[in-house]
Amino acid sequence: MRAFLGRLGALLTGDPRADRVVPPSGAAAWLTLLSAGAMAFLAVFALALSLATGRLAERWAGALSQGATVRISAPAEQMAAQTRLVLDILAVTPGVGSARALDTAETRALLAPWFGPDLPVDSLPIPQLIEVTETGDGFDAEGLKLRLSAEAPGATLDDHQRWRRPLVAAAERLRSLGFLSLGLIGGAMAAMVTLAAQAALAANGQVIRTLRLVGARDIYIARAFVRRFTLRALAGAAAGTLAGMIAVALLPAADEAGGFLTGLGFAGTGWLWPLAIPPFAAIVAFWATRAAALRTLREVQ
Amino acid sequence: MIEFQNVAHGYGGSPLLSGMTLTLAPGSFHFLTGPSGAGKSTFLKLCYGELTPVAGRISAFGQDRAEMSRDDVARLRRRIGVVHQDCQFLDHLPLEENVALPLTVAGRAADATELKELLSWVGLSGQVRSLPPSLSGGERQRAALARAVIMSPEMLLADEPTGNLDWEMSLRLLTLLVELNRMGTAILVATHDLNLIRAAKAQVAARVLRIKGGQVQMAGAEL
Ligand SMILES: Nc1ncnc2c1ncn2[C@@H]1O[C@H](COP(=O)(O)OP(=O)(O)OP(=O)(O)O)[C@@H](O)[C@H]1O
Ligand SMILES: [Mg+2]
């Protein structure tokens, strides 16, 4: 890797005399610049999609992990018995990770925002709350509700967060699709650069033969092409990335409602991720051109 | 320096040259003659590694051609200067950069004074900034000669270097070759021009190889 970076560095600083031995490559050069720019622009969006859906999945999964609550409203003298009963039922329900009855202090803390801190919890018919966390696949909410209503009539299952479960799965799927798109964009760019490099190499057959005849090593000739295409890809991708980032920054802000589409974008250090696109494009172009050049050179004695 | 042992070559299976055994020694001066299509250019290409023999062994500077890597061939070409029959140049670079090309590809910079001297030696001082397509055939051949000697090669191969030159210019070029040979460069010139060979023999101990019936023979004194 260090050797490779060293080579890349030497390539970028370059030797202007060595550069001149290959004539300017017109259309192929523009094709590389343009396709690298377009691919980088798309890559920014794929990256934004992956990161945003990742954040969304995390947030929703976080809400899910707060789990469900069972609320028990019963006359004071039955409260303890029903609580124990519900805890016993929950203990044997598949998919329930843990169940815990909140104590008075916690209940007071929960209600404080609505009723103020001085609420006389002990003297009011405040329901007992039981916090339920789920294991991976969750529990069968309908079954649990039926069982609770049969055995502990005062207990109600409150599972208002559970509707998010399929959304988390969808967000995670979207994130994988985003990463897959990034891979496809990288592959398509490698293919484009290879084609452009091959066109340039074919157009310069005479130049390559002449260079070989005067004693140029393969690597010298290859480097002249590789340098050109690597720099083009780097410049094109830098422009495309910049344009993509500006476009993402100009998307409507995520604050109102927090819907999915309005959340598309980068957050905080997430803005650093797209900066990896231009160097990545340069590396792809480097290897694609190098392979094409060495392949072409093998046919010249 | 370059040794052929029972070397044969042909294109696409049909034999062209066969049974060639000879040595091109350091400091020697050879002419190579034979009718058009006899295989003179082919012989030179075998010498500088553009072609590999179909049979037999060629060794250059002690290294077997069959064992040379592509980089070895590149290095060989820095020790052998070649004036190609079709004088290939990089058409987008001016003459002086074309002449300095062997140095450039070897990662060295041309000495400006030396380059100027070399160009005036071949009579091209006025064309240094010209692009190759705008040069006359004779100017191209002289430029090719300058390019072939810029690395001070140990051996110079010239394929019809006087093909486009008038007699006066041919003699000038011959003088350049003789001068190089006196400084120690081995020289092999492929040519049809018997007058040129006669003129050379008056100046150096040149030997004549003739391709006849697919064989390379040492020509007698009749030339
Ligand atoms: N690449 C090639 N493929 C097939 N045949 C070839 C190739 N190069 C040369 N030949 C054939 O080999 C024969 C010898 O060619 P070569 O160029 O060596 O001749 P030459 O002696 O240099 O001729 P001239 O004096 O015209 O330059 C010719 O018949 C030519 O057609
Ligand atoms: Mg010939």
Side-chain angles (χ1 to χ4, degrees), chain A residues 137-171:
Chain A
D137 296 332
F139 51 78
D140 168 18
E142 292 314 309
L144 184 59
K145 276 179 189 162
L146 282 176
R147 193 160 172 209
L148 285 176
S149 65
E151 297 183 29
T156 357
L157 176 65
D158 182 1
D159 60 348
H160 58 274
Q161 295 288 356
R162 302 187 87 240
W163 61 274
R164 291 190 196 265
R165 184 171 291 275
L167 287 186
V168 172

PDB file of all heavy atoms in Angstrom, chain A residues 137-171:
ATOM      1  N   ASP A 137     -36.872 -10.673  17.486  1.00  0.00           N
ATOM      2  CA  ASP A 137     -38.025 -10.760  16.601  1.00  0.00           C
ATOM      3  C   ASP A 137     -39.298 -10.175  17.201  1.00  0.00           C
ATOM      4  O   ASP A 137     -40.313 -10.049  16.510  1.00  0.00           O
ATOM      5  CB  ASP A 137     -38.296 -12.225  16.237  1.00  0.00           C
ATOM      6  CG  ASP A 137     -37.130 -12.792  15.437  1.00  0.00           C
ATOM      7  OD1 ASP A 137     -36.455 -11.987  14.757  1.00  0.00           O
ATOM      8  OD2 ASP A 137     -36.882 -14.010  15.505  1.00  0.00           O
ATOM      9  N   GLY A 138     -39.241  -9.832  18.453  1.00  0.00           N
ATOM     10  CA  GLY A 138     -40.423  -9.252  19.076  1.00  0.00           C
ATOM     11  C   GLY A 138     -41.432 -10.322  19.486  1.00  0.00           C
ATOM     12  O   GLY A 138     -41.282 -11.498  19.165  1.00  0.00           O
ATOM     13  N   PHE A 139     -42.463  -9.869  20.238  1.00  0.00           N
ATOM     14  CA  PHE A 139     -43.469 -10.835  20.690  1.00  0.00           C
ATOM     15  C   PHE A 139     -44.726 -10.711  19.854  1.00  0.00           C
ATOM     16  O   PHE A 139     -44.884  -9.771  19.070  1.00  0.00           O
ATOM     17  CB  PHE A 139     -43.775 -10.638  22.182  1.00  0.00           C
ATOM     18  CG  PHE A 139     -44.108  -9.222  22.545  1.00  0.00           C
ATOM     19  CD1 PHE A 139     -45.373  -8.695  22.275  1.00  0.00           C
ATOM     20  CD2 PHE A 139     -43.164  -8.421  23.175  1.00  0.00           C
ATOM     21  CE1 PHE A 139     -45.680  -7.403  22.613  1.00  0.00           C
ATOM     22  CE2 PHE A 139     -43.478  -7.111  23.507  1.00  0.00           C
ATOM     23  CZ  PHE A 139     -44.725  -6.600  23.227  1.00  0.00           C
ATOM     24  N   ASP A 140     -45.599 -11.666  20.039  1.00  0.00           N
ATOM     25  CA  ASP A 140     -46.880 -11.653  19.324  1.00  0.00           C
ATOM     26  C   ASP A 140     -47.846 -10.763  20.099  1.00  0.00           C
ATOM     27  O   ASP A 140     -48.414 -11.171  21.120  1.00  0.00           O
ATOM     28  CB  ASP A 140     -47.375 -13.106  19.227  1.00  0.00           C
ATOM     29  CG  ASP A 140     -48.832 -13.163  18.764  1.00  0.00           C
ATOM     30  OD1 ASP A 140     -49.321 -12.149  18.202  1.00  0.00           O
ATOM     31  OD2 ASP A 140     -49.455 -14.216  18.977  1.00  0.00           O
ATOM     32  N   ALA A 141     -48.011  -9.527  19.646  1.00  0.00           N
ATOM     33  CA  ALA A 141     -48.761  -8.533  20.410  1.00  0.00           C
ATOM     34  C   ALA A 141     -50.227  -8.939  20.583  1.00  0.00           C
ATOM     35  O   ALA A 141     -50.797  -8.798  21.676  1.00  0.00           O
ATOM     36  CB  ALA A 141     -48.672  -7.177  19.723  1.00  0.00           C
ATOM     37  N   GLU A 142     -50.841  -9.484  19.513  1.00  0.00           N
ATOM     38  CA  GLU A 142     -52.259  -9.861  19.598  1.00  0.00           C
ATOM     39  C   GLU A 142     -52.476 -10.946  20.635  1.00  0.00           C
ATOM     40  O   GLU A 142     -53.380 -10.869  21.480  1.00  0.00           O
ATOM     41  CB  GLU A 142     -52.768 -10.331  18.225  1.00  0.00           C
ATOM     42  CG  GLU A 142     -52.831  -9.215  17.180  1.00  0.00           C
ATOM     43  CD  GLU A 142     -53.477  -7.947  17.732  1.00  0.00           C
ATOM     44  OE1 GLU A 142     -54.588  -8.036  18.301  1.00  0.00           O
ATOM     45  OE2 GLU A 142     -52.839  -6.859  17.639  1.00  0.00           O
ATOM     46  N   GLY A 143     -51.589 -11.956  20.593  1.00  0.00           N
ATOM     47  CA  GLY A 143     -51.697 -13.070  21.550  1.00  0.00           C
ATOM     48  C   GLY A 143     -51.569 -12.573  22.979  1.00  0.00           C
ATOM     49  O   GLY A 143     -52.348 -12.954  23.857  1.00  0.00           O
ATOM     50  N   LEU A 144     -50.588 -11.671  23.181  1.00  0.00           N
ATOM     51  CA  LEU A 144     -50.340 -11.172  24.528  1.00  0.00           C
ATOM     52  C   LEU A 144     -51.543 -10.374  25.039  1.00  0.00           C
ATOM     53  O   LEU A 144     -51.955 -10.500  26.205  1.00  0.00           O
ATOM     54  CB  LEU A 144     -49.074 -10.314  24.529  1.00  0.00           C
ATOM     55  CG  LEU A 144     -48.618  -9.799  25.899  1.00  0.00           C
ATOM     56  CD1 LEU A 144     -48.342 -10.961  26.854  1.00  0.00           C
ATOM     57  CD2 LEU A 144     -47.394  -8.918  25.764  1.00  0.00           C
ATOM     58  N   LYS A 145     -52.120  -9.566  24.134  1.00  0.00           N
ATOM     59  CA  LYS A 145     -53.277  -8.762  24.523  1.00  0.00           C
ATOM     60  C   LYS A 145     -54.431  -9.659  24.983  1.00  0.00           C
ATOM     61  O   LYS A 145     -55.061  -9.408  26.020  1.00  0.00           O
ATOM     62  CB  LYS A 145     -53.758  -7.893  23.352  1.00  0.00           C
ATOM     63  CG  LYS A 145     -52.979  -6.588  23.251  1.00  0.00           C
ATOM     64  CD  LYS A 145     -53.459  -5.765  22.068  1.00  0.00           C
ATOM     65  CE  LYS A 145     -52.538  -4.588  21.843  1.00  0.00           C
ATOM     66  NZ  LYS A 145     -52.676  -4.002  20.513  1.00  0.00           N
ATOM     67  N   LEU A 146     -54.685 -10.724  24.184  1.00  0.00           N
ATOM     68  CA  LEU A 146     -55.764 -11.646  24.525  1.00  0.00           C
ATOM     69  C   LEU A 146     -55.530 -12.272  25.888  1.00  0.00           C
ATOM     70  O   LEU A 146     -56.418 -12.340  26.739  1.00  0.00           O
ATOM     71  CB  LEU A 146     -55.859 -12.749  23.461  1.00  0.00           C
ATOM     72  CG  LEU A 146     -56.563 -12.328  22.159  1.00  0.00           C
ATOM     73  CD1 LEU A 146     -56.515 -13.446  21.133  1.00  0.00           C
ATOM     74  CD2 LEU A 146     -58.022 -11.934  22.475  1.00  0.00           C
ATOM     75  N   ARG A 147     -54.278 -12.707  26.099  1.00  0.00           N
ATOM     76  CA  ARG A 147     -53.978 -13.401  27.334  1.00  0.00           C
ATOM     77  C   ARG A 147     -54.119 -12.455  28.531  1.00  0.00           C
ATOM     78  O   ARG A 147     -54.662 -12.840  29.585  1.00  0.00           O
ATOM     79  CB  ARG A 147     -52.551 -13.951  27.246  1.00  0.00           C
ATOM     80  CG  ARG A 147     -52.296 -14.923  28.345  1.00  0.00           C
ATOM     81  CD  ARG A 147     -51.148 -15.871  28.112  1.00  0.00           C
ATOM     82  NE  ARG A 147     -50.964 -16.586  29.351  1.00  0.00           N
ATOM     83  CZ  ARG A 147     -49.808 -17.076  29.754  1.00  0.00           C
ATOM     84  NH1 ARG A 147     -48.744 -16.952  28.973  1.00  0.00           N
ATOM     85  NH2 ARG A 147     -49.720 -17.693  30.897  1.00  0.00           N
ATOM     86  N   LEU A 148     -53.642 -11.222  28.357  1.00  0.00           N
ATOM     87  CA  LEU A 148     -53.724 -10.257  29.459  1.00  0.00           C
ATOM     88  C   LEU A 148     -55.185  -9.952  29.804  1.00  0.00           C
ATOM     89  O   LEU A 148     -55.562  -9.922  30.970  1.00  0.00           O
ATOM     90  CB  LEU A 148     -52.994  -8.961  29.090  1.00  0.00           C
ATOM     91  CG  LEU A 148     -51.468  -9.017  29.126  1.00  0.00           C
ATOM     92  CD1 LEU A 148     -50.881  -7.694  28.647  1.00  0.00           C
ATOM     93  CD2 LEU A 148     -50.968  -9.350  30.521  1.00  0.00           C
ATOM     94  N   SER A 149     -55.999  -9.762  28.747  1.00  0.00           N
ATOM     95  CA  SER A 149     -57.395  -9.402  29.039  1.00  0.00           C
ATOM     96  C   SER A 149     -58.120 -10.558  29.720  1.00  0.00           C
ATOM     97  O   SER A 149     -59.031 -10.354  30.505  1.00  0.00           O
ATOM     98  CB  SER A 149     -58.114  -8.963  27.759  1.00  0.00           C
ATOM     99  OG  SER A 149     -58.192 -10.049  26.874  1.00  0.00           O
ATOM    100  N   ALA A 150     -57.706 -11.807  29.427  1.00  0.00           N
ATOM    101  CA  ALA A 150     -58.326 -12.961  30.066  1.00  0.00           C
ATOM    102  C   ALA A 150     -57.882 -13.096  31.512  1.00  0.00           C
ATOM    103  O   ALA A 150     -58.697 -13.341  32.401  1.00  0.00           O
ATOM    104  CB  ALA A 150     -57.995 -14.232  29.286  1.00  0.00           C
ATOM    105  N   GLU A 151     -56.586 -12.891  31.786  1.00  0.00           N
ATOM    106  CA  GLU A 151     -56.080 -13.231  33.118  1.00  0.00           C
ATOM    107  C   GLU A 151     -55.920 -12.025  34.023  1.00  0.00           C
ATOM    108  O   GLU A 151     -56.001 -12.134  35.240  1.00  0.00           O
ATOM    109  CB  GLU A 151     -54.737 -13.963  32.985  1.00  0.00           C
ATOM    110  CG  GLU A 151     -54.917 -15.288  32.238  1.00  0.00           C
ATOM    111  CD  GLU A 151     -53.637 -16.069  32.151  1.00  0.00           C
ATOM    112  OE1 GLU A 151     -52.778 -15.932  33.055  1.00  0.00           O
ATOM    113  OE2 GLU A 151     -53.468 -16.804  31.162  1.00  0.00           O
ATOM    114  N   ALA A 152     -55.609 -10.858  33.432  1.00  0.00           N
ATOM    115  CA  ALA A 152     -55.444  -9.664  34.265  1.00  0.00           C
ATOM    116  C   ALA A 152     -56.240  -8.539  33.637  1.00  0.00           C
ATOM    117  O   ALA A 152     -55.704  -7.727  32.895  1.00  0.00           O
ATOM    118  CB  ALA A 152     -53.954  -9.293  34.357  1.00  0.00           C
ATOM    119  N   PRO A 153     -57.540  -8.487  33.905  1.00  0.00           N
ATOM    120  CA  PRO A 153     -58.434  -7.564  33.207  1.00  0.00           C
ATOM    121  C   PRO A 153     -58.013  -6.109  33.328  1.00  0.00           C
ATOM    122  O   PRO A 153     -58.353  -5.302  32.471  1.00  0.00           O
ATOM    123  CB  PRO A 153     -59.784  -7.801  33.879  1.00  0.00           C
ATOM    124  CG  PRO A 153     -59.567  -8.770  34.977  1.00  0.00           C
ATOM    125  CD  PRO A 153     -58.215  -9.320  34.908  1.00  0.00           C
ATOM    126  N   GLY A 154     -57.255  -5.751  34.329  1.00  0.00           N
ATOM    127  CA  GLY A 154     -56.852  -4.354  34.490  1.00  0.00           C
ATOM    128  C   GLY A 154     -55.658  -3.966  33.639  1.00  0.00           C
ATOM    129  O   GLY A 154     -55.261  -2.804  33.602  1.00  0.00           O
ATOM    130  N   ALA A 155     -55.061  -4.901  32.957  1.00  0.00           N
ATOM    131  CA  ALA A 155     -53.805  -4.622  32.239  1.00  0.00           C
ATOM    132  C   ALA A 155     -54.072  -4.327  30.766  1.00  0.00           C
ATOM    133  O   ALA A 155     -54.848  -5.008  30.116  1.00  0.00           O
ATOM    134  CB  ALA A 155     -52.858  -5.817  32.356  1.00  0.00           C
ATOM    135  N   THR A 156     -53.414  -3.287  30.243  1.00  0.00           N
ATOM    136  CA  THR A 156     -53.500  -2.978  28.808  1.00  0.00           C
ATOM    137  C   THR A 156     -52.081  -2.915  28.244  1.00  0.00           C
ATOM    138  O   THR A 156     -51.187  -2.314  28.849  1.00  0.00           O
ATOM    139  CB  THR A 156     -54.134  -1.598  28.530  1.00  0.00           C
ATOM    140  OG1 THR A 156     -54.530  -1.045  29.780  1.00  0.00           O
ATOM    141  CG2 THR A 156     -55.264  -1.691  27.553  1.00  0.00           C
ATOM    142  N   LEU A 157     -51.930  -3.504  27.066  1.00  0.00           N
ATOM    143  CA  LEU A 157     -50.618  -3.474  26.415  1.00  0.00           C
ATOM    144  C   LEU A 157     -50.555  -2.247  25.511  1.00  0.00           C
ATOM    145  O   LEU A 157     -51.415  -2.053  24.650  1.00  0.00           O
ATOM    146  CB  LEU A 157     -50.408  -4.750  25.593  1.00  0.00           C
ATOM    147  CG  LEU A 157     -49.113  -4.802  24.784  1.00  0.00           C
ATOM    148  CD1 LEU A 157     -47.898  -4.821  25.704  1.00  0.00           C
ATOM    149  CD2 LEU A 157     -49.114  -6.006  23.857  1.00  0.00           C
ATOM    150  N   ASP A 158     -49.572  -1.434  25.718  1.00  0.00           N
ATOM    151  CA  ASP A 158     -49.389  -0.242  24.887  1.00  0.00           C
ATOM    152  C   ASP A 158     -48.145  -0.457  24.024  1.00  0.00           C
ATOM    153  O   ASP A 158     -47.028  -0.423  24.522  1.00  0.00           O
ATOM    154  CB  ASP A 158     -49.222   0.971  25.811  1.00  0.00           C
ATOM    155  CG  ASP A 158     -49.065   2.243  25.012  1.00  0.00           C
ATOM    156  OD1 ASP A 158     -49.114   2.164  23.758  1.00  0.00           O
ATOM    157  OD2 ASP A 158     -48.885   3.305  25.633  1.00  0.00           O
ATOM    158  N   ASP A 159     -48.364  -0.729  22.744  1.00  0.00           N
ATOM    159  CA  ASP A 159     -47.212  -1.045  21.879  1.00  0.00           C
ATOM    160  C   ASP A 159     -47.132  -0.079  20.705  1.00  0.00           C
ATOM    161  O   ASP A 159     -46.845  -0.447  19.579  1.00  0.00           O
ATOM    162  CB  ASP A 159     -47.287  -2.481  21.386  1.00  0.00           C
ATOM    163  CG  ASP A 159     -48.551  -2.731  20.576  1.00  0.00           C
ATOM    164  OD1 ASP A 159     -49.452  -1.857  20.604  1.00  0.00           O
ATOM    165  OD2 ASP A 159     -48.628  -3.757  19.904  1.00  0.00           O
ATOM    166  N   HIS A 160     -47.340   1.199  20.996  1.00  0.00           N
ATOM    167  CA  HIS A 160     -47.434   2.197  19.922  1.00  0.00           C
ATOM    168  C   HIS A 160     -46.164   2.327  19.068  1.00  0.00           C
ATOM    169  O   HIS A 160     -46.202   2.868  17.989  1.00  0.00           O
ATOM    170  CB  HIS A 160     -47.778   3.558  20.518  1.00  0.00           C
ATOM    171  CG  HIS A 160     -46.776   4.005  21.525  1.00  0.00           C
ATOM    172  ND1 HIS A 160     -46.838   3.646  22.845  1.00  0.00           N
ATOM    173  CD2 HIS A 160     -45.664   4.751  21.381  1.00  0.00           C
ATOM    174  CE1 HIS A 160     -45.808   4.163  23.490  1.00  0.00           C
ATOM    175  NE2 HIS A 160     -45.075   4.834  22.629  1.00  0.00           N
ATOM    176  N   GLN A 161     -44.988   1.883  19.554  1.00  0.00           N
ATOM    177  CA  GLN A 161     -43.757   2.032  18.769  1.00  0.00           C
ATOM    178  C   GLN A 161     -43.550   0.889  17.781  1.00  0.00           C
ATOM    179  O   GLN A 161     -42.710   0.974  16.895  1.00  0.00           O
ATOM    180  CB  GLN A 161     -42.528   2.094  19.702  1.00  0.00           C
ATOM    181  CG  GLN A 161     -42.492   3.306  20.603  1.00  0.00           C
ATOM    182  CD  GLN A 161     -42.180   4.581  19.843  1.00  0.00           C
ATOM    183  OE1 GLN A 161     -41.920   4.551  18.635  1.00  0.00           O
ATOM    184  NE2 GLN A 161     -42.244   5.705  20.520  1.00  0.00           N
ATOM    185  N   ARG A 162     -44.375  -0.169  17.963  1.00  0.00           N
ATOM    186  CA  ARG A 162     -44.054  -1.377  17.209  1.00  0.00           C
ATOM    187  C   ARG A 162     -44.316  -1.235  15.707  1.00  0.00           C
ATOM    188  O   ARG A 162     -43.733  -1.947  14.912  1.00  0.00           O
ATOM    189  CB  ARG A 162     -44.843  -2.567  17.754  1.00  0.00           C
ATOM    190  CG  ARG A 162     -44.564  -2.799  19.223  1.00  0.00           C
ATOM    191  CD  ARG A 162     -45.214  -4.060  19.705  1.00  0.00           C
ATOM    192  NE  ARG A 162     -44.382  -5.217  19.506  1.00  0.00           N
ATOM    193  CZ  ARG A 162     -44.695  -6.263  18.779  1.00  0.00           C
ATOM    194  NH1 ARG A 162     -45.837  -6.276  18.146  1.00  0.00           N
ATOM    195  NH2 ARG A 162     -43.902  -7.278  18.678  1.00  0.00           N
ATOM    196  N   TRP A 163     -45.168  -0.293  15.324  1.00  0.00           N
ATOM    197  CA  TRP A 163     -45.451  -0.148  13.897  1.00  0.00           C
ATOM    198  C   TRP A 163     -44.194   0.210  13.104  1.00  0.00           C
ATOM    199  O   TRP A 163     -44.126   0.048  11.911  1.00  0.00           O
ATOM    200  CB  TRP A 163     -46.511   0.911  13.655  1.00  0.00           C
ATOM    201  CG  TRP A 163     -46.106   2.282  14.135  1.00  0.00           C
ATOM    202  CD1 TRP A 163     -46.257   2.785  15.379  1.00  0.00           C
ATOM    203  CD2 TRP A 163     -45.456   3.286  13.360  1.00  0.00           C
ATOM    204  NE1 TRP A 163     -45.747   4.031  15.466  1.00  0.00           N
ATOM    205  CE2 TRP A 163     -45.238   4.379  14.231  1.00  0.00           C
ATOM    206  CE3 TRP A 163     -45.038   3.382  12.037  1.00  0.00           C
ATOM    207  CZ2 TRP A 163     -44.619   5.547  13.826  1.00  0.00           C
ATOM    208  CZ3 TRP A 163     -44.432   4.556  11.628  1.00  0.00           C
ATOM    209  CH2 TRP A 163     -44.219   5.618  12.510  1.00  0.00           C
ATOM    210  N   ARG A 164     -43.131   0.679  13.787  1.00  0.00           N
ATOM    211  CA  ARG A 164     -41.927   1.094  13.076  1.00  0.00           C
ATOM    212  C   ARG A 164     -41.065  -0.098  12.631  1.00  0.00           C
ATOM    213  O   ARG A 164     -40.162   0.060  11.832  1.00  0.00           O
ATOM    214  CB  ARG A 164     -41.063   1.967  13.981  1.00  0.00           C
ATOM    215  CG  ARG A 164     -41.678   3.315  14.279  1.00  0.00           C
ATOM    216  CD  ARG A 164     -40.626   4.151  14.965  1.00  0.00           C
ATOM    217  NE  ARG A 164     -41.171   5.324  15.636  1.00  0.00           N
ATOM    218  CZ  ARG A 164     -41.205   6.521  15.057  1.00  0.00           C
ATOM    219  NH1 ARG A 164     -40.771   6.671  13.840  1.00  0.00           N
ATOM    220  NH2 ARG A 164     -41.683   7.538  15.734  1.00  0.00           N
ATOM    221  N   ARG A 165     -41.374  -1.273  13.190  1.00  0.00           N
ATOM    222  CA  ARG A 165     -40.510  -2.422  12.902  1.00  0.00           C
ATOM    223  C   ARG A 165     -40.284  -2.649  11.397  1.00  0.00           C
ATOM    224  O   ARG A 165     -39.126  -2.714  10.966  1.00  0.00           O
ATOM    225  CB  ARG A 165     -41.077  -3.686  13.572  1.00  0.00           C
ATOM    226  CG  ARG A 165     -40.230  -4.910  13.420  1.00  0.00           C
ATOM    227  CD  ARG A 165     -40.746  -6.040  14.294  1.00  0.00           C
ATOM    228  NE  ARG A 165     -40.534  -5.740  15.706  1.00  0.00           N
ATOM    229  CZ  ARG A 165     -39.402  -5.988  16.355  1.00  0.00           C
ATOM    230  NH1 ARG A 165     -38.384  -6.517  15.704  1.00  0.00           N
ATOM    231  NH2 ARG A 165     -39.268  -5.712  17.621  1.00  0.00           N
ATOM    232  N   PRO A 166     -41.319  -2.741  10.543  1.00  0.00           N
ATOM    233  CA  PRO A 166     -41.061  -2.933   9.102  1.00  0.00           C
ATOM    234  C   PRO A 166     -40.313  -1.752   8.487  1.00  0.00           C
ATOM    235  O   PRO A 166     -39.562  -1.929   7.543  1.00  0.00           O
ATOM    236  CB  PRO A 166     -42.460  -3.080   8.501  1.00  0.00           C
ATOM    237  CG  PRO A 166     -43.410  -2.614   9.539  1.00  0.00           C
ATOM    238  CD  PRO A 166     -42.758  -2.774  10.861  1.00  0.00           C
ATOM    239  N   LEU A 167     -40.508  -0.546   9.071  1.00  0.00           N
ATOM    240  CA  LEU A 167     -39.800   0.615   8.521  1.00  0.00           C
ATOM    241  C   LEU A 167     -38.298   0.510   8.745  1.00  0.00           C
ATOM    242  O   LEU A 167     -37.502   0.897   7.898  1.00  0.00           O
ATOM    243  CB  LEU A 167     -40.331   1.895   9.170  1.00  0.00           C
ATOM    244  CG  LEU A 167     -41.717   2.314   8.714  1.00  0.00           C
ATOM    245  CD1 LEU A 167     -42.059   3.669   9.328  1.00  0.00           C
ATOM    246  CD2 LEU A 167     -41.767   2.390   7.194  1.00  0.00           C
ATOM    247  N   VAL A 168     -37.940  -0.015   9.910  1.00  0.00           N
ATOM    248  CA  VAL A 168     -36.509  -0.180  10.181  1.00  0.00           C
ATOM    249  C   VAL A 168     -35.914  -1.132   9.152  1.00  0.00           C
ATOM    250  O   VAL A 168     -34.856  -0.874   8.570  1.00  0.00           O
ATOM    251  CB  VAL A 168     -36.282  -0.709  11.611  1.00  0.00           C
ATOM    252  CG1 VAL A 168     -34.819  -1.056  11.803  1.00  0.00           C
ATOM    253  CG2 VAL A 168     -36.717   0.334  12.617  1.00  0.00           C
ATOM    254  N   ALA A 169     -36.633  -2.213   8.885  1.00  0.00           N
ATOM    255  CA  ALA A 169     -36.146  -3.173   7.900  1.00  0.00           C
ATOM    256  C   ALA A 169     -36.008  -2.496   6.540  1.00  0.00           C
ATOM    257  O   ALA A 169     -35.008  -2.663   5.834  1.00  0.00           O
ATOM    258  CB  ALA A 169     -37.098  -4.362   7.806  1.00  0.00           C
ATOM    259  N   ALA A 170     -37.013  -1.668   6.180  1.00  0.00           N
ATOM    260  CA  ALA A 170     -36.972  -0.992   4.887  1.00  0.00           C
ATOM    261  C   ALA A 170     -35.789  -0.028   4.828  1.00  0.00           C
ATOM    262  O   ALA A 170     -35.072   0.049   3.822  1.00  0.00           O
ATOM    263  CB  ALA A 170     -38.274  -0.236   4.651  1.00  0.00           C
ATOM    264  N   ALA A 171     -35.553   0.709   5.908  1.00  0.00           N
ATOM    265  CA  ALA A 171     -34.447   1.661   5.928  1.00  0.00           C
ATOM    266  C   ALA A 171     -33.114   0.937   5.785  1.00  0.00           C
ATOM    267  O   ALA A 171     -32.217   1.380   5.069  1.00  0.00           O
ATOM    268  CB  ALA A 171     -34.478   2.463   7.221  1.00  0.00           C
TER     269      ALA A 171
END
